[in-house]
Amino acid sequence: MEKLVIEGGAPLSGTIAVSGSKNAALPILMAAILVNGNITFTNVPNLKDIRTTLKLLDILGCKSTFDGSTVTIDCQDLTPEAPYELVKTMRASVLCLGPLLARIGRAKVALPGGCAIGARPVDMHLTALEKMGAELDLDSGYINGKCKGLKGAHIQFPFPTVGGTEHVLMAACLAEGETVLENVAREPEVSDLAEFLIKCGAKIRGHGTSVIHVEGVESLAGCEYAVMSDRIEAGTFMAAAAITDGEVLLANCPFKELDAVVDKLREMGVLLEQRDDGVLVKRNGELVGVDVTTMPYPGFPTDMQAQIMALMTLAKGSGIIEERIFENRFMHVQELVRMGAKIKLKGNSAMVRGVDTLKGAPVMASDLRASASLVVAGLAAEGTTEVQRIYHLDRGYERIEEKLTNVGARIRRVDE
Ligand code: EPZ
């Protein structure tokens, strides 16, 4: 296994180009299953999860190429089975179920397990698909699905689930009649998926709000589509620039999609200025602790919770971070404490008291964003931090050590 070795203390300075969004690209690639024709995607990040998705699509019969950040894909003749060996490595694979049912009327998809941050059931996905006429039964860990064509339905989600919204949105595009989706996720990645589907000929309106209307169509045609930039990668680099007291220009950086993160960082004393060539990030003296509660979009994103916590460990004063989306998303806390952070957990809240310095230490990554928070902390800690099990990190960050080295970080990837 590989690890990252970081010598802390170097202020970051220079330009970092933000890559395409993992959480937009994953559902968008799955949506290719719906399309009868050639598609070219640009600005696709070269990440493990993306390569896993293309492997899954290949098994389903989609021919694809991936060159640089461009993916071409053609899903003409499909087979219905998504094997457990693949689905267990990436939960988002379950999103192929709805598109397979919509396109060929049958699917056999392994039920995804949980992961480090929570049980992450997909009950809301399945209930909605059944309301659209899918017959789903669970047999030895696989969802066996069939339908004689999906029908439009009125779906009210109990919770604005991102994956659930994306899943049903895709299925509804080829369903017969109108589907109304209520209490949906408003994340920008959902809107990016909708924009791609509309470009292929889907009839969708209301994405970005809590109610989406979809008028089913006969078929979808191929097109060319550029994936949006990754707002969570951008937010992670904002935290890294701030914690090292550096000055970084983030190119291709989403800004309005990061409203809640920008507001909190500014409250902490980080200066963020949107310019023509990107977003300039630096800090204005001492950072102060703030309170953060993670919420569905447009609230503060749970995917930035670990990273802002790392920043808060070195801020003046204290702050309370409440995690309201996942039941177990504080795996980074004990590792930060090992670096000298003062954090107390109470239920789904963490009380972070700022300290003057963190001390480098060997730490263990447990999930994608926890890994990112340990890198952020290591960049500012005194001495050497070794982040182990960085396969978690590689799922969501493209060449992170290269991007950080280019702006002055002392970070390298070594074999354990
Ligand atoms: C997406 O996961 C993202 N993943 C996650 O990013 C992100 O943290 C999450 O949305 C919330 O923003 C991708 O887009 C690939 P949810 P998803 O369905 O769709 C519960 C990262 O770090 N729930 O909105 O799985 C669920 O257990 C990853 O990039 C049900 O109970 O999130 C969770 O507690 C991590 N039943 C909450 O809802 C369901 O049927 C939010 O889940 C579905 C969800």
Side-chain angles (χ1 to χ4, degrees):
M1 281 197 275
E2 295 178 311
K3 63 186 176 186
L4 287 178
V5 178
I6 306 167
E7 300 303 328
L12 302 187
S13 157
T15 300
I16 298 179
V18 178
S19 298
S21 163
K22 165 181 92 81
N23 289 351
L26 292 181
I28 284 175
L29 289 173
M30 289 296 179
I33 293 170
L34 296 164
V35 177
N36 190 5
N38 268 302
I39 310 163
T40 300
F41 294 114
T42 55
N43 200 35
V44 180
N46 188 354
L47 300 169
K48 207 164 107 187
D49 277 6
I50 298 295
R51 296 189 292 272
T52 302
T53 300
L54 292 175
K55 216 185 291 172
L56 171 64
L57 290 170
D58 185 55
I59 291 171
L60 295 173
C62 302
K63 298 285 162 275
S64 68
T65 64
F66 191 6
D67 175 18
S69 59
T70 299
V71 166
T72 65
I73 198 157
D74 179 351
C75 296
Q76 299 287 1
D77 36 13
L78 290 159
T79 61
E81 182 159 350
Y84 175 63
E85 296 64 48
L86 230 148
V87 174
K88 72 181 177 189
T89 65
M90 190 188 67
R91 308 182 64 269
S93 314
V94 72
L95 293 181
C96 72
L97 173 65
L100 284 170
L101 289 170
R103 187 84 189 280
I104 59 172
R106 64 191 198 287
K108 181 177 179 184
V109 179
L111 191 64
C115 72
I117 62 178
R120 301 186 71 183
V122 288
D123 50 310
M124 297 180 207
H125 302 224
L126 305 184
T127 307
L129 290 173
E130 284 174 329
K131 272 191 96 170
M132 298 174 75
E135 289 168 48
L136 305 176
D137 62 46
L138 193 53
D139 173 26
S140 344
Y142 277 82
I143 307 163
N144 290 305
K146 62 180 191 292
C147 68
K148 296 182 191 58
L150 292 174
K151 301 259 181 305
H154 189 138
I155 311 282
Q156 169 90 27
F157 282 113
F159 177 88
T161 153
V162 171
T165 302
E166 293 165 341
H167 205 162
V168 182
L169 175 61
M170 290 190 280
C173 289
L174 295 182
E176 190 191 324
E178 187 187 37
T179 298
V180 179
L181 300 170
E182 288 202 48
N183 194 27
V184 295
R186 298 167 53 193
E187 270 68 4
E189 294 76 21
V190 174
S191 298
D192 208 30
L193 169 64
E195 289 302 326
F196 162 63
L197 290 164
I198 289 167
K199 205 166 176 192
C200 296
K203 291 194 169 53
I204 299 168
R205 59 191 169 81
H207 45 289
T209 74
S210 296
V211 183
I212 297 179
H213 291 257
V214 184
E215 189 58 46
V217 294
E218 274 300 304
S219 68
L220 296 176
C223 69
E224 176 145 340
Y225 192 76
V227 173
M228 68 178 276
S229 291
D230 194 316
R231 63 192 172 102
I232 304 300
E233 184 197 24
T236 305
F237 288 132
M238 288 175 181
I243 203 170
T244 58
D245 198 3
E247 180 165 333
V248 171
L249 181 72
L250 293 175
N252 319 321
C253 180
F255 198 64
K256 66 176 170 41
E257 295 86 350
L258 273 171
D259 252 357
V261 174
V262 168
D263 287 351
K264 277 298 165 191
L265 291 175
R266 282 175 169 158
E267 208 184 315
M268 289 185 76
V270 182
L271 291 178
L272 294 131
E273 183 200 337
Q274 190 174 26
R275 303 188 334 189
D276 295 347
D277 54 353
V279 175
L280 189 68
V281 189
K282 60 183 179 185
R283 78 184 192 194
N284 177 18
E286 193 97 89
L287 294 178
V288 293
V290 293
D291 292 342
V292 172
T293 300
T294 66
M295 302 284 281
Y297 193 87
F300 190 92
T302 174
D303 290 352
M304 272 298 300
Q305 178 257 105
Q307 297 92 309
I308 202 163
M309 184 187 287
L311 185 56
M312 275 172 52
T313 63
L314 287 173
K316 208 163 154 33
S318 60
I320 295 179
I321 296 181
E322 190 185 356
E323 173 56 57
R324 286 205 180 159
I325 306 295
F326 289 105
E327 63 265 31
N328 185 32
R329 205 171 196 176
F330 284 138
M331 308 281 273
H332 41 288
V333 169
Q334 285 322 317
E335 298 305 299
L336 291 171
V337 166
R338 295 184 61 247
M339 297 174 72
K342 282 207 175 351
I343 308 171
K344 273 229 168 316
L345 286 180
K346 197 164 179 325
N348 66 341
S349 289
M351 157 70 94
V352 184
R353 276 182 219 293
V355 293
D356 293 337
T357 54
L358 292 177
K359 291 268 180 302
V363 289
M364 188 83 77
S366 52
D367 57 85
L368 170 54
R369 306 303 173 181
S371 328
S373 82
L374 299 178
V375 171
V376 169
L379 289 171
E382 278 178 8
T384 307
T385 298
E386 293 192 354
V387 183
Q388 296 156 6
R389 298 192 180 172
I390 53 167
Y391 57 85
H392 291 292
L393 194 66
D394 293 336
R395 299 191 51 182
Y397 291 90
E398 190 177 4
R399 298 175 290 110
I400 194 166
E401 71 273 15
E402 198 182 302
K403 291 188 175 185
L404 289 171
T405 301
N406 290 346
V407 288
R410 296 185 292 253
I411 179 171
R412 57 198 167 81
R413 180 183 291 253
V414 297
D415 257 328
E416 284 246 48

PDB file of all heavy atoms in Angstrom, residues 152-174:
ATOM      1  N   GLY A 152     -44.371   6.824 -15.485  1.00  0.00           N
ATOM      2  CA  GLY A 152     -44.208   8.062 -14.702  1.00  0.00           C
ATOM      3  C   GLY A 152     -44.977   7.922 -13.391  1.00  0.00           C
ATOM      4  O   GLY A 152     -45.986   7.222 -13.318  1.00  0.00           O
ATOM      5  N   ALA A 153     -44.486   8.557 -12.321  1.00  0.00           N
ATOM      6  CA  ALA A 153     -45.168   8.471 -11.011  1.00  0.00           C
ATOM      7  C   ALA A 153     -44.915   9.753 -10.233  1.00  0.00           C
ATOM      8  O   ALA A 153     -44.101  10.587 -10.623  1.00  0.00           O
ATOM      9  CB  ALA A 153     -44.620   7.270 -10.226  1.00  0.00           C
ATOM     10  N   HIS A 154     -45.627   9.897  -9.119  1.00  0.00           N
ATOM     11  CA  HIS A 154     -45.416  11.048  -8.224  1.00  0.00           C
ATOM     12  C   HIS A 154     -44.594  10.544  -7.052  1.00  0.00           C
ATOM     13  O   HIS A 154     -45.078   9.723  -6.256  1.00  0.00           O
ATOM     14  CB  HIS A 154     -46.773  11.591  -7.755  1.00  0.00           C
ATOM     15  CG  HIS A 154     -46.650  12.886  -7.016  1.00  0.00           C
ATOM     16  ND1 HIS A 154     -47.506  13.955  -7.190  1.00  0.00           N
ATOM     17  CD2 HIS A 154     -45.730  13.304  -6.107  1.00  0.00           C
ATOM     18  CE1 HIS A 154     -47.108  14.958  -6.414  1.00  0.00           C
ATOM     19  NE2 HIS A 154     -46.049  14.582  -5.751  1.00  0.00           N
ATOM     20  N   ILE A 155     -43.360  10.980  -6.953  1.00  0.00           N
ATOM     21  CA  ILE A 155     -42.439  10.457  -5.927  1.00  0.00           C
ATOM     22  C   ILE A 155     -42.150  11.559  -4.910  1.00  0.00           C
ATOM     23  O   ILE A 155     -41.751  12.660  -5.288  1.00  0.00           O
ATOM     24  CB  ILE A 155     -41.086  10.030  -6.574  1.00  0.00           C
ATOM     25  CG1 ILE A 155     -41.309   9.156  -7.803  1.00  0.00           C
ATOM     26  CG2 ILE A 155     -40.167   9.408  -5.536  1.00  0.00           C
ATOM     27  CD1 ILE A 155     -41.645   7.724  -7.552  1.00  0.00           C
ATOM     28  N   GLN A 156     -42.385  11.231  -3.637  1.00  0.00           N
ATOM     29  CA  GLN A 156     -42.090  12.186  -2.559  1.00  0.00           C
ATOM     30  C   GLN A 156     -40.972  11.571  -1.725  1.00  0.00           C
ATOM     31  O   GLN A 156     -41.185  10.559  -1.052  1.00  0.00           O
ATOM     32  CB  GLN A 156     -43.355  12.373  -1.715  1.00  0.00           C
ATOM     33  CG  GLN A 156     -43.158  13.116  -0.435  1.00  0.00           C
ATOM     34  CD  GLN A 156     -43.349  14.632  -0.609  1.00  0.00           C
ATOM     35  OE1 GLN A 156     -44.069  15.064  -1.502  1.00  0.00           O
ATOM     36  NE2 GLN A 156     -42.679  15.412   0.196  1.00  0.00           N
ATOM     37  N   PHE A 157     -39.743  12.123  -1.781  1.00  0.00           N
ATOM     38  CA  PHE A 157     -38.642  11.530  -0.996  1.00  0.00           C
ATOM     39  C   PHE A 157     -38.770  11.917   0.475  1.00  0.00           C
ATOM     40  O   PHE A 157     -39.020  13.093   0.782  1.00  0.00           O
ATOM     41  CB  PHE A 157     -37.297  12.025  -1.528  1.00  0.00           C
ATOM     42  CG  PHE A 157     -36.861  11.339  -2.798  1.00  0.00           C
ATOM     43  CD1 PHE A 157     -36.773  12.021  -3.992  1.00  0.00           C
ATOM     44  CD2 PHE A 157     -36.546   9.977  -2.800  1.00  0.00           C
ATOM     45  CE1 PHE A 157     -36.379  11.398  -5.166  1.00  0.00           C
ATOM     46  CE2 PHE A 157     -36.141   9.336  -3.959  1.00  0.00           C
ATOM     47  CZ  PHE A 157     -36.060  10.044  -5.148  1.00  0.00           C
ATOM     48  N   PRO A 158     -38.589  10.959   1.396  1.00  0.00           N
ATOM     49  CA  PRO A 158     -38.600  11.296   2.839  1.00  0.00           C
ATOM     50  C   PRO A 158     -37.428  12.209   3.218  1.00  0.00           C
ATOM     51  O   PRO A 158     -37.479  12.946   4.173  1.00  0.00           O
ATOM     52  CB  PRO A 158     -38.452   9.942   3.525  1.00  0.00           C
ATOM     53  CG  PRO A 158     -38.611   8.895   2.493  1.00  0.00           C
ATOM     54  CD  PRO A 158     -38.397   9.525   1.161  1.00  0.00           C
ATOM     55  N   PHE A 159     -36.346  12.111   2.412  1.00  0.00           N
ATOM     56  CA  PHE A 159     -35.127  12.895   2.689  1.00  0.00           C
ATOM     57  C   PHE A 159     -34.541  13.297   1.337  1.00  0.00           C
ATOM     58  O   PHE A 159     -34.613  12.515   0.390  1.00  0.00           O
ATOM     59  CB  PHE A 159     -34.126  12.032   3.477  1.00  0.00           C
ATOM     60  CG  PHE A 159     -32.821  12.735   3.752  1.00  0.00           C
ATOM     61  CD1 PHE A 159     -32.670  13.528   4.879  1.00  0.00           C
ATOM     62  CD2 PHE A 159     -31.755  12.622   2.861  1.00  0.00           C
ATOM     63  CE1 PHE A 159     -31.473  14.190   5.123  1.00  0.00           C
ATOM     64  CE2 PHE A 159     -30.550  13.279   3.098  1.00  0.00           C
ATOM     65  CZ  PHE A 159     -30.410  14.074   4.228  1.00  0.00           C
ATOM     66  N   PRO A 160     -33.990  14.474   1.180  1.00  0.00           N
ATOM     67  CA  PRO A 160     -33.456  14.869  -0.131  1.00  0.00           C
ATOM     68  C   PRO A 160     -32.181  14.102  -0.485  1.00  0.00           C
ATOM     69  O   PRO A 160     -31.087  14.660  -0.504  1.00  0.00           O
ATOM     70  CB  PRO A 160     -33.198  16.358   0.022  1.00  0.00           C
ATOM     71  CG  PRO A 160     -33.026  16.594   1.471  1.00  0.00           C
ATOM     72  CD  PRO A 160     -33.843  15.563   2.175  1.00  0.00           C
ATOM     73  N   THR A 161     -32.315  12.824  -0.770  1.00  0.00           N
ATOM     74  CA  THR A 161     -31.171  11.972  -1.071  1.00  0.00           C
ATOM     75  C   THR A 161     -30.567  12.318  -2.427  1.00  0.00           C
ATOM     76  O   THR A 161     -31.282  12.385  -3.433  1.00  0.00           O
ATOM     77  CB  THR A 161     -31.581  10.478  -1.072  1.00  0.00           C
ATOM     78  OG1 THR A 161     -30.710   9.740  -1.927  1.00  0.00           O
ATOM     79  CG2 THR A 161     -33.006  10.250  -1.562  1.00  0.00           C
ATOM     80  N   VAL A 162     -29.258  12.554  -2.458  1.00  0.00           N
ATOM     81  CA  VAL A 162     -28.574  12.913  -3.709  1.00  0.00           C
ATOM     82  C   VAL A 162     -28.651  11.740  -4.691  1.00  0.00           C
ATOM     83  O   VAL A 162     -29.163  11.863  -5.807  1.00  0.00           O
ATOM     84  CB  VAL A 162     -27.118  13.299  -3.429  1.00  0.00           C
ATOM     85  CG1 VAL A 162     -26.328  13.474  -4.723  1.00  0.00           C
ATOM     86  CG2 VAL A 162     -27.049  14.569  -2.589  1.00  0.00           C
ATOM     87  N   GLY A 163     -28.202  10.580  -4.253  1.00  0.00           N
ATOM     88  CA  GLY A 163     -28.198   9.415  -5.149  1.00  0.00           C
ATOM     89  C   GLY A 163     -29.587   9.002  -5.548  1.00  0.00           C
ATOM     90  O   GLY A 163     -29.846   8.668  -6.709  1.00  0.00           O
ATOM     91  N   GLY A 164     -30.509   9.084  -4.593  1.00  0.00           N
ATOM     92  CA  GLY A 164     -31.890   8.703  -4.900  1.00  0.00           C
ATOM     93  C   GLY A 164     -32.493   9.619  -5.949  1.00  0.00           C
ATOM     94  O   GLY A 164     -33.159   9.168  -6.890  1.00  0.00           O
ATOM     95  N   THR A 165     -32.226  10.920  -5.802  1.00  0.00           N
ATOM     96  CA  THR A 165     -32.734  11.889  -6.780  1.00  0.00           C
ATOM     97  C   THR A 165     -32.164  11.595  -8.167  1.00  0.00           C
ATOM     98  O   THR A 165     -32.889  11.535  -9.163  1.00  0.00           O
ATOM     99  CB  THR A 165     -32.342  13.322  -6.354  1.00  0.00           C
ATOM    100  OG1 THR A 165     -32.860  13.590  -5.049  1.00  0.00           O
ATOM    101  CG2 THR A 165     -32.851  14.364  -7.335  1.00  0.00           C
ATOM    102  N   GLU A 166     -30.847  11.378  -8.209  1.00  0.00           N
ATOM    103  CA  GLU A 166     -30.181  11.115  -9.499  1.00  0.00           C
ATOM    104  C   GLU A 166     -30.700   9.831 -10.133  1.00  0.00           C
ATOM    105  O   GLU A 166     -30.965   9.770 -11.333  1.00  0.00           O
ATOM    106  CB  GLU A 166     -28.668  11.037  -9.287  1.00  0.00           C
ATOM    107  CG  GLU A 166     -28.059  12.374  -8.890  1.00  0.00           C
ATOM    108  CD  GLU A 166     -26.657  12.266  -8.320  1.00  0.00           C
ATOM    109  OE1 GLU A 166     -26.248  11.169  -7.882  1.00  0.00           O
ATOM    110  OE2 GLU A 166     -25.963  13.316  -8.289  1.00  0.00           O
ATOM    111  N   HIS A 167     -30.893   8.818  -9.290  1.00  0.00           N
ATOM    112  CA  HIS A 167     -31.328   7.508  -9.769  1.00  0.00           C
ATOM    113  C   HIS A 167     -32.701   7.602 -10.445  1.00  0.00           C
ATOM    114  O   HIS A 167     -32.893   7.175 -11.593  1.00  0.00           O
ATOM    115  CB  HIS A 167     -31.394   6.542  -8.574  1.00  0.00           C
ATOM    116  CG  HIS A 167     -31.250   5.106  -8.955  1.00  0.00           C
ATOM    117  ND1 HIS A 167     -30.918   4.130  -8.048  1.00  0.00           N
ATOM    118  CD2 HIS A 167     -31.389   4.472 -10.146  1.00  0.00           C
ATOM    119  CE1 HIS A 167     -30.861   2.961  -8.675  1.00  0.00           C
ATOM    120  NE2 HIS A 167     -31.134   3.147  -9.943  1.00  0.00           N
ATOM    121  N   VAL A 168     -33.641   8.222  -9.736  1.00  0.00           N
ATOM    122  CA  VAL A 168     -35.018   8.290 -10.256  1.00  0.00           C
ATOM    123  C   VAL A 168     -35.114   9.271 -11.417  1.00  0.00           C
ATOM    124  O   VAL A 168     -35.848   9.057 -12.374  1.00  0.00           O
ATOM    125  CB  VAL A 168     -35.989   8.656  -9.110  1.00  0.00           C
ATOM    126  CG1 VAL A 168     -37.423   8.680  -9.599  1.00  0.00           C
ATOM    127  CG2 VAL A 168     -35.857   7.648  -7.970  1.00  0.00           C
ATOM    128  N   LEU A 169     -34.310  10.336 -11.340  1.00  0.00           N
ATOM    129  CA  LEU A 169     -34.288  11.311 -12.452  1.00  0.00           C
ATOM    130  C   LEU A 169     -33.896  10.596 -13.751  1.00  0.00           C
ATOM    131  O   LEU A 169     -34.529  10.777 -14.800  1.00  0.00           O
ATOM    132  CB  LEU A 169     -33.290  12.420 -12.129  1.00  0.00           C
ATOM    133  CG  LEU A 169     -33.022  13.472 -13.204  1.00  0.00           C
ATOM    134  CD1 LEU A 169     -34.289  14.241 -13.552  1.00  0.00           C
ATOM    135  CD2 LEU A 169     -31.936  14.447 -12.731  1.00  0.00           C
ATOM    136  N   MET A 170     -32.886   9.743 -13.677  1.00  0.00           N
ATOM    137  CA  MET A 170     -32.427   9.020 -14.875  1.00  0.00           C
ATOM    138  C   MET A 170     -33.529   8.086 -15.377  1.00  0.00           C
ATOM    139  O   MET A 170     -33.887   8.086 -16.552  1.00  0.00           O
ATOM    140  CB  MET A 170     -31.154   8.229 -14.560  1.00  0.00           C
ATOM    141  CG  MET A 170     -29.932   9.101 -14.335  1.00  0.00           C
ATOM    142  SD  MET A 170     -28.396   8.158 -14.253  1.00  0.00           S
ATOM    143  CE  MET A 170     -28.447   7.564 -12.571  1.00  0.00           C
ATOM    144  N   ALA A 171     -34.115   7.314 -14.456  1.00  0.00           N
ATOM    145  CA  ALA A 171     -35.129   6.327 -14.868  1.00  0.00           C
ATOM    146  C   ALA A 171     -36.329   7.022 -15.506  1.00  0.00           C
ATOM    147  O   ALA A 171     -36.906   6.555 -16.491  1.00  0.00           O
ATOM    148  CB  ALA A 171     -35.564   5.522 -13.654  1.00  0.00           C
ATOM    149  N   ALA A 172     -36.678   8.193 -14.942  1.00  0.00           N
ATOM    150  CA  ALA A 172     -37.899   8.892 -15.394  1.00  0.00           C
ATOM    151  C   ALA A 172     -37.773   9.394 -16.833  1.00  0.00           C
ATOM    152  O   ALA A 172     -38.775   9.576 -17.528  1.00  0.00           O
ATOM    153  CB  ALA A 172     -38.197  10.062 -14.455  1.00  0.00           C
ATOM    154  N   CYS A 173     -36.545   9.617 -17.307  1.00  0.00           N
ATOM    155  CA  CYS A 173     -36.357  10.197 -18.655  1.00  0.00           C
ATOM    156  C   CYS A 173     -36.956   9.320 -19.750  1.00  0.00           C
ATOM    157  O   CYS A 173     -37.407   9.830 -20.769  1.00  0.00           O
ATOM    158  CB  CYS A 173     -34.874  10.407 -18.932  1.00  0.00           C
ATOM    159  SG  CYS A 173     -34.163  11.733 -17.965  1.00  0.00           S
ATOM    160  N   LEU A 174     -36.937   7.996 -19.541  1.00  0.00           N
ATOM    161  CA  LEU A 174     -37.463   7.076 -20.572  1.00  0.00           C
ATOM    162  C   LEU A 174     -38.751   6.407 -20.110  1.00  0.00           C
ATOM    163  O   LEU A 174     -39.233   5.455 -20.727  1.00  0.00           O
ATOM    164  CB  LEU A 174     -36.423   5.998 -20.907  1.00  0.00           C
ATOM    165  CG  LEU A 174     -35.124   6.476 -21.563  1.00  0.00           C
ATOM    166  CD1 LEU A 174     -34.216   5.288 -21.887  1.00  0.00           C
ATOM    167  CD2 LEU A 174     -35.406   7.291 -22.827  1.00  0.00           C
TER     168      LEU A 174
END
